[in-house]
Amino acid sequence: MIPWLTIAIALPAVGALLVWALPRTGAGGREQAAASAAAQARSGGGTATAVRAPAAAATGAASAENAKRITLGVSLATLAVLVVMTLRFDPSNAGSLQFVEEYPWIPRFGVHFAVGVDGIALALILMSAILVPLVVLAAWREHDHREDGGRGYFALILALEAMMIGVFAATDVFLFYVFFEAMLIPVYFMIGRYGRGDERAKAAVKFLLYSLAGGLIMLVAVIGVFVHGGTFLWADLVGENGALAGLDPSTARWLFLGFFIAFAIKAPMWPVHTWLPQAAGSSSPGTAVLLVGVLDKVGTYGMLRFCMELFPSAVSWFVWPVVALSLVSIVYGAILAIGQTDMMRLVAYTSVSHFGFITLGIFALTPQAQTGAALYMVNHGFATGALFLIVGLLVARRGSSLIKDFSGVQNVAPRLAGVFLVAGLAGLALPGLAPFVSEFLVFVGVYAFSPAPALIAVIGVVLAALYILWMYQRTMTGPTADGVAGFKDLSAREAWAVGPLLALILAFGLYPQPLLDAIEPAAERTVVSTVGSAEEGGAE
Amino acid sequence: MIPQDLPVITQEAPVLDWWLLAPLLTLFGGAMLAVLFEAFVPAARRRLLQIGVAALSLLATFVLIVLQVGSLPDGQAGVTVGVGSLAVDRTVLFFQGTIAVLALVSLLLIAERRDGRDAFAAQAAAVPGSEEERAHILAGTQHTEIYPLVLFAVLGMLMFPASNDFLTMFIALEVMSLPLYLMCGLARRRRLFSQEAAVKYFLLGAFSSAFFLFGAAMVYGYAGSVNFGEVRAAVENGGAAIFQDGDGRALLLMGIGLVAVGLLFKVGAVPFHNWKPDVYQGAPTPVTALMASCTLVAAFGALLRVFFVPFGGSAGDWEPALWIVAVLTMVVAAIVAVSQRDIKRLLAYSSVVHAGFILTAVVAGSTDGLAGAMFYLAAYGFTTLGAFAVVTLVRTADGGQEQGDLDRWAGLGRRHPLLAGALALFLLAFAGIPLTSGFIGKFAVFQAAVAAGATPLVVVGVLSSAVTAFFYVRIIVVMFFRDPEADGHTVVRAGAATGGVIAIGVAATLLLGVYPGPVLDNLLPSPDGSQEPVSVMVDQASTEAG
């Protein structure tokens, strides 16, 4: 049996080490050359180093180019592995874990390196693996000016990819926690070191501290799971005969809350969303894609997989509070998005609104709503990913992400404006584009659960049209602004970066069935176990 | 009332198991030899000889400690030697082995020279700034008394967690502390500062020793013995025979309290932590590294032994007090640390917070707690050694003394990615990020505490953990995200010794973080056995092996 998931995790991890370990003739060489030049200048013989310094710089550039090629190659290879896995995935059995692997890791604590995927996890992993090479392509020239030519950035992307696959595949609560927390470190450096603007260090720290605080609270809950359940293996913990079945209700609620706080911060749900706009605004576009498109999904995925399935008896307690918070997120995120002057921050706020839809769908506890929510996670990754990447292309041309610095882009770069429009329309869930299907399912499901929240959530849809179209109008139409006049249209590399995403958005908008086939059984499993247990709890 | 069974005084020499005493005796012999060398060997050849003696005797001690694991009897926790004054069990041997290894690694830092000069005063007896001192510096003299002092201090550290009666423990405490007081005052640069630290440490340390001794006297009054096994029996039986209806309880409680003050001072728990930042900052950094790793392990080893063995039967009395101390330690130190600007002070406060985390495992009062604390201490020891090794390399712009001011570390990560990367790894381990040893340690102690029902303590622990993460992360921000300043700092080239310490620190931090299984399974008390810690710690009054 081939350990598919381990390969998919190990491949980018090894790639990251490889890129990181490439000969360091770049920054270090230049600096050493400079230092020895200074030393020799003092001793009166500076000629030799003066010749050597540019040579070192050239090697540095060459190694940065190699770093990019290796990164792209490794991320494509990982994608290939995952595509093969998807083809071998048994959709008729999408509700149960497949590609299961389990090796003991820390026997004392009963910790296993245990991985496996159901339909939802596989869809999210595949989405992450599709986004990574596109981010690499989009960021190709972005870090050329840095002292290391961006080599560190690409190593971090690969390290992050390994952890992203790991976090969705982990079926051991401890292992999940390890990936969940360890993931923060590469992102922290990606924002703080390779981000944009003067606020980036502050934004990175805020991101890390928010996430760490949530993670540490979750650690108490993880320990609680072990103390009460005696194991970390997800498969042994869940279910009517699982190790956590006999948990008393108040403990279950506390543990649920411990996990939920961490996931709500990650998701990001109002009122703990405040780190996101700053982090996304200070990120380079590629980082923002992975941050919002993938990392935040870990929060909603965790709610589905861990909060609900580990503590089904506690869910009914939390349904209405979470639904209320989701509605606030939807409306609040949308209103704040309208008021933004910075495109990166605007897209970040739209995500706060979209994540409100996802959590609303998860906690509505109907099969349609949860299927819609899980589908939304995937579609949002593609749509927001595309939007961030295209905004990134604009930022790279103008050197600014402020809306007021753009005007009339479509006059000089019509294709760029065109893809921007498509991505934007996907963001507002236009019928025919992928997010529409998921949003529609969420609405149908939530309405079946209770009409009032569905009606409030509609406000979010109306506001979405406003913030997207108004941004488009201000930046793309109108007279060509001074700084915009020299804009080049979409280059081939850039087209390759955003094209696949738009194609996927269109394809899944018209024919979402393959995704639904994978997601629906897994979502139904969650709903059945949760609702069954909630009814049982209510009967007692 | 006179106790009926007065001990019979005999002329017979006690039977000693020389094999089980061999590690301590070896180190003692090495230390004595080092003193003689210091007195008689010509200055030119002294230094290398001293390093050789120190390294070899530490290495031999470590090997002997490891070999003793095999001579422990099956089916019981261990044995006592020296008429019941020292315990030899797996727990003790783990602490001793850890201390010996950490001391060896610290020795590398202590032995490192820069431009032919040690980190220590050329002539410690010379008044700082005096003509005499200048003459010594110009002449290039270098006293090497640091090496015998290290050996004596480590000897005390090995005895401290192994003591099986309060008097032996007190002697161990003094053997450990007196050389440390001296070593703190030996810094080559900023000598007044260093001497101030030494005086402060000495005065406060003397107080704490007095507390300990007074507490031991109280316990003797209660139990009629200073032997841990007999004290334990007395606690279970409500005191010595002269007491009726538990009317000696006040003596016991005072005894526990006073002994606890002495021990909590040594581990640096709040409110007995005030010496730590000053001493850590003032002492020469290699000595700080030794204190932060080995002394902490020894002090916690002794603390665990005292609370779990003689006072184990009285857990209900001391647990509430330790709850308060643990909460104070974690919260106060974490908050105060946020405003620190000096790297060594910050690491000192960080060490106080870590002491608080380990105290949660003591409060758990279980074998799991003991095992968690043991793992935590070993993991923390290596990480902190690595961190202080990095500190020794970052100097002021003129390349003189160490640059303690964190704000001047801006851009270290740009210029020296490997060095700053290593420090970042150590800081992440301190913060308890997964895939580092710090995370496994934190998980182990918190898990024990939750299992023992101390969940509120763990919640306080994780919240203060989040606060500490703030200042660790801030150092990373300064190093990696800020542009270098022209005259902020210079980095001296890492010699083989310092480089080795950093490499060992990195390796241990990663290895214990990614693959901790072998250590957790083989070296620590098993989780399947009894959760009574005394099941793995010797408490007999006197059982000579063989």
Side-chain angles (χ1 to χ4, degrees):
Chain A
M1 218 182 85
I2 304 170
W4 287 101
L5 280 167
T6 305
I7 294 174
I9 295 170
L11 203 58
V14 173
L17 284 178
L18 198 69
V19 171
W20 182 74
L22 280 177
R24 293 189 165 266
T25 38
R30 242 173 301 179
E31 169 149 329
Q32 271 168 21
S36 58
Q40 292 208 359
R42 255 173 299 181
S43 60
T47 36
T49 31
V51 182
R52 224 168 55 215
T59 348
S63 95
E65 285 301 308
N66 283 337
K68 293 173 193 172
R69 285 191 204 108
I70 294 173
T71 309
L72 187 62
V74 170
S75 60
L76 286 174
T78 313
L79 178 61
V81 170
L82 285 164
V83 167
V84 173
M85 273 179 67
T86 310
L87 295 174
R88 296 171 64 104
F89 186 80
D90 175 12
S92 63
N93 204 7
S96 50
L97 295 175
Q98 303 186 25
F99 302 104
V100 174
E101 293 173 50
E102 190 183 309
Y103 318 99
W105 178 21
I106 309 174
R108 187 183 183 101
F109 303 130
V111 173
H112 292 77
F113 182 86
V115 287
V117 288
D118 61 4
I120 296 179
L122 182 66
L124 287 170
I125 290 176
L126 195 60
M127 175 199 81
S128 319
I130 290 173
L131 285 176
V132 171
L134 302 180
V135 165
V136 173
L137 266 182
W140 203 261
R141 294 263 156 263
E142 204 172 276
H143 300 284
D144 282 356
H145 63 283
R146 298 197 193 268
E147 52 209 288
D148 66 348
R151 198 176 45 196
Y153 184 74
F154 291 103
L156 289 172
I157 286 188
L158 284 181
L160 182 62
E161 179 174 24
M163 293 174 189
M164 292 189 305
I165 297 173
V167 80
F168 288 123
T171 56
D172 179 292
V173 181
F174 189 97
L175 182 67
F176 173 80
Y177 182 80
V178 165
F179 282 126
F180 184 82
E181 288 279 275
M183 241 159 80
L184 304 175
I185 303 306
V187 179
Y188 169 69
F189 281 98
M190 283 161 81
I191 298 174
R193 178 130 196 224
Y194 299 98
R196 308 162 41 244
D198 304 329
E199 296 283 294
R200 63 175 191 266
K202 214 180 261 177
V205 170
K206 195 170 177 181
F207 158 77
L208 189 66
L209 289 183
Y210 262 76
S211 308
L212 263 185
L216 285 165
I217 293 170
M218 183 169 141
L219 177 62
V220 184
V222 168
I223 292 172
V225 165
F226 179 60
V227 168
H228 291 285
T231 175
F232 279 121
L233 283 175
W234 186 80
D236 294 346
L237 287 167
V238 299
E240 283 172 28
N241 303 318
L244 286 179
L247 208 59
D248 78 277
S250 96
T251 314
R253 273 173 223 145
W254 281 111
L255 294 180
F256 182 105
L257 192 66
F259 279 94
F260 184 79
I261 291 174
F263 294 145
I265 290 175
K266 192 83 137 183
M269 180 178 258
W270 184 88
V272 284
H273 67 284
T274 49
W275 61 270
L276 178 76
Q278 211 176 342
S282 299
S283 294
S284 70
T287 313
V289 171
L290 297 178
L291 179 67
V292 180
V294 183
L295 255 74
D296 291 356
K297 301 297 181 342
V298 179
T300 45
Y301 172 78
M303 288 179 198
L304 203 60
R305 171 58 63 78
F306 292 97
C307 283
M308 298 203 124
E309 294 209 56
L310 288 182
F311 318 107
S313 64
V315 174
S316 59
W317 244 69
F318 289 93
V319 164
W320 280 103
V322 178
V323 165
L325 289 178
S326 308
L327 292 174
V328 174
S329 296
I330 291 173
V331 177
Y332 180 87
I335 292 176
L336 259 71
I338 295 172
Q340 293 308 307
T341 53
D342 179 300
M343 286 192 285
M344 297 288 285
R345 290 176 68 99
L346 191 149
V347 180
Y349 272 111
T350 69
S351 292
V352 173
S353 181
H354 291 156
F355 275 103
F357 279 106
I358 298 175
T359 48
L360 182 65
I362 291 174
F363 278 81
L365 297 183
T366 55
Q368 294 98 327
Q370 276 202 354
T371 309
L375 188 62
Y376 212 144
M377 291 189 219
V378 179
N379 289 337
H380 176 268
F382 294 142
T384 304
L387 210 48
F388 266 127
L389 283 184
I390 295 164
V391 169
L393 303 181
L394 291 168
V395 172
R397 285 168 168 70
R398 182 71 175 81
S400 155
S401 55
L402 295 178
I403 292 176
K404 69 175 168 57
D405 289 336
F406 295 86
S407 175
V409 173
Q410 67 176 8
N411 305 335
V412 286
R415 271 180 296 165
L416 188 56
V419 293
F420 186 73
L421 184 62
V422 176
L425 293 177
L428 63 82
L430 190 79
L433 298 176
F436 169 74
V437 184
S438 37
E439 206 164 290
F440 182 74
L441 275 172
V442 169
F443 270 115
V444 172
V446 172
Y447 194 85
F449 159 73
S450 167
L455 291 174
I456 298 173
V458 170
I459 302 174
V461 182
V462 178
L463 293 177
L466 190 58
Y467 56 68
I468 290 290
L469 294 177
W470 198 33
M471 170 167 73
Y472 181 83
Q473 207 181 329
R474 282 183 288 171
T475 54
M476 299 292 139
T477 61
T480 311
D482 288 344
V484 174
F487 271 24
K488 288 195 179 68
D489 210 347
L490 223 50
S491 74
R493 173 179 62 84
E494 293 165 345
W496 273 109
V498 295
L501 285 180
L502 297 184
L504 283 168
I505 291 171
L506 277 170
F508 287 132
L510 298 172
Y511 187 61
Q513 205 53 44
L515 264 179
L516 282 173
D517 284 344
I519 285 171
E520 221 170 351
E524 253 164 37
R525 182 195 68 216
T526 319
V527 172
V528 168
S529 72
T530 317
V531 173
S533 169
E535 276 166 5
E536 220 172 87
E540 270 167 17
Chain B
M1 276 196 290
I2 297 162
Q4 297 298 307
D5 49 342
L6 279 173
V8 183
I9 298 164
T10 60
Q11 297 295 320
E12 261 178 78
V15 185
L16 294 177
D17 186 326
W18 297 108
W19 164 241
L20 287 177
L21 289 171
L24 294 177
L25 291 178
T26 310
L27 198 56
F28 184 63
M32 286 314 224
L33 211 58
V35 171
L36 292 177
F37 284 161
E38 185 69 20
F40 294 112
V41 175
R45 267 175 288 160
R46 210 161 51 206
R47 184 171 168 276
L48 276 181
L49 198 61
Q50 290 284 29
I51 294 175
V53 169
L56 279 179
S57 47
L58 278 172
L59 199 66
T61 307
F62 175 70
V63 171
L64 285 169
I65 291 169
V66 172
L67 288 178
Q68 297 212 329
V69 177
S71 51
L72 288 176
D74 288 333
Q76 62 187 91
V79 293
T80 54
V81 283
V83 208
S85 60
L86 286 172
V88 182
D89 57 36
R90 281 169 193 282
T91 314
V92 166
L93 291 176
F94 178 87
F95 281 126
Q96 290 185 331
T98 310
I99 293 167
V101 172
L102 290 174
L104 263 173
V105 180
S106 322
L107 190 68
L108 288 176
L109 273 188
I110 289 168
E112 180 74 283
R113 293 192 117 177
R114 308 240 157 264
D115 311 325
R117 285 182 192 157
D118 284 5
F120 307 102
Q123 164 64 284
V127 176
S130 64
E131 275 304 313
E132 191 192 356
E133 184 188 34
R134 241 157 62 90
H136 275 288
I137 292 174
L138 289 175
T141 43
Q142 175 69 60
H143 276 207
T144 46
E145 64 266 82
I146 186 85
Y147 299 101
L149 288 175
V150 167
L151 292 183
F152 277 118
V154 173
L155 176 67
M157 293 177 202
L158 294 186
M159 264 175 82
F160 202 31
S163 313
N164 198 38
D165 66 51
F166 281 105
L167 281 182
T168 311
M169 186 169 264
F170 179 73
I171 291 166
L173 175 66
E174 292 303 299
V175 172
M176 168 178 102
S177 303
L178 291 172
L180 283 176
Y181 300 147
L182 278 177
M183 281 149 68
C184 285
L186 286 185
R188 171 176 281 272
R189 300 172 191 282
R190 303 179 81 185
R191 286 193 60 201
L192 280 174
F193 201 51
S194 167
Q195 293 186 349
E196 182 193 329
V199 171
K200 208 173 252 177
Y201 191 24
F202 172 66
L203 286 178
L204 290 172
F207 265 113
S208 84
S209 295
F211 270 102
F212 181 89
L213 200 56
F214 201 40
M218 297 281 180
V219 173
Y220 179 71
Y222 173 76
S225 167
V226 288
N227 182 283
F228 283 1
E230 283 166 17
V231 172
R232 183 180 176 85
V235 168
E236 274 160 10
N237 299 329
I242 54 167
F243 295 113
Q244 276 140 20
D245 308 328
D247 54 2
R249 242 178 86 76
L251 270 182
L252 174 67
L253 292 184
M254 278 196 280
I256 294 178
L258 292 171
V259 166
V261 168
L263 292 171
L264 288 171
F265 173 85
K266 279 292 157 195
V267 303
V270 177
F272 317 109
H273 67 291
N274 274 317
W275 61 275
K276 248 190 184 176
D278 293 343
V279 173
Y280 275 29
Q281 188 183 15
T285 305
V287 174
T288 311
L290 181 77
M291 285 196 290
S293 53
C294 300
T295 312
L296 192 77
V297 176
F300 258 111
L303 186 135
L304 285 158
R305 205 169 152 67
V306 166
F307 277 114
F308 287 175
V309 179
F311 299 153
S314 174
D317 295 324
W318 53 259
E319 263 176 14
L322 269 197
W323 266 69
I324 297 170
V325 171
V327 168
L328 278 179
T329 305
M330 292 187 286
V331 173
V332 172
I335 292 172
V336 175
V338 169
S339 60
Q340 298 305 316
R341 291 274 169 271
D342 183 277
I343 178 76
K344 280 166 84 181
R345 286 187 83 82
L346 195 131
L347 288 176
Y349 276 107
S350 147
S351 145
V352 177
V353 182
H354 286 291
F357 293 151
I358 302 172
L359 280 177
T360 62
V362 182
V363 170
S366 60
T367 310
D368 275 349
L370 176 67
M374 288 160 78
F375 184 88
Y376 202 117
L377 285 164
Y380 175 75
F382 283 106
T383 310
T384 200
L385 274 179
F388 280 111
V390 174
V391 171
T392 62
L393 295 178
V394 183
R395 305 293 176 97
T396 49
D398 59 10
Q401 62 200 29
E402 285 157 12
Q403 177 60 280
D405 185 358
L406 275 173
D407 287 334
R408 313 301 295 277
W409 282 37
L412 186 68
R414 304 269 175 93
R415 291 184 181 162
H416 303 276
L418 282 181
L419 186 71
L423 183 59
L425 176 73
F426 299 142
L427 294 171
L428 293 176
F430 288 151
I433 303 287
L435 302 179
T436 65
S437 58
F439 171 66
I440 304 287
K442 204 171 264 182
F443 182 87
V445 295
F446 285 168
Q447 183 259 326
V450 170
T455 312
L457 204 55
V458 174
V459 172
V460 174
V462 295
L463 292 179
S464 63
S465 227
V467 176
T468 60
F470 172 72
F471 54 77
Y472 299 132
V473 163
R474 206 184 51 201
I475 302 177
I476 298 180
V477 167
V478 171
M479 290 194 302
F480 284 94
F481 302 164
R482 289 223 200 119
D483 291 321
E485 290 171 20
D487 56 350
H489 60 263
T490 51
V491 172
V492 290
R493 225 181 142 68
T498 311
V501 175
I502 297 175
I504 291 171
V506 168
T509 303
L510 285 177
L511 210 61
L512 290 177
V514 175
Y515 196 57
V519 173
L520 286 168
D521 289 343
N522 302 325
L523 302 183
L524 303 182
S526 151
D528 305 325
S530 159
Q531 280 297 337
E532 276 290 311
V534 81
S535 65
V536 291
M537 297 174 115
V538 171
D539 70 329
Q540 294 101 323
S542 170
T543 49
E544 294 295 327

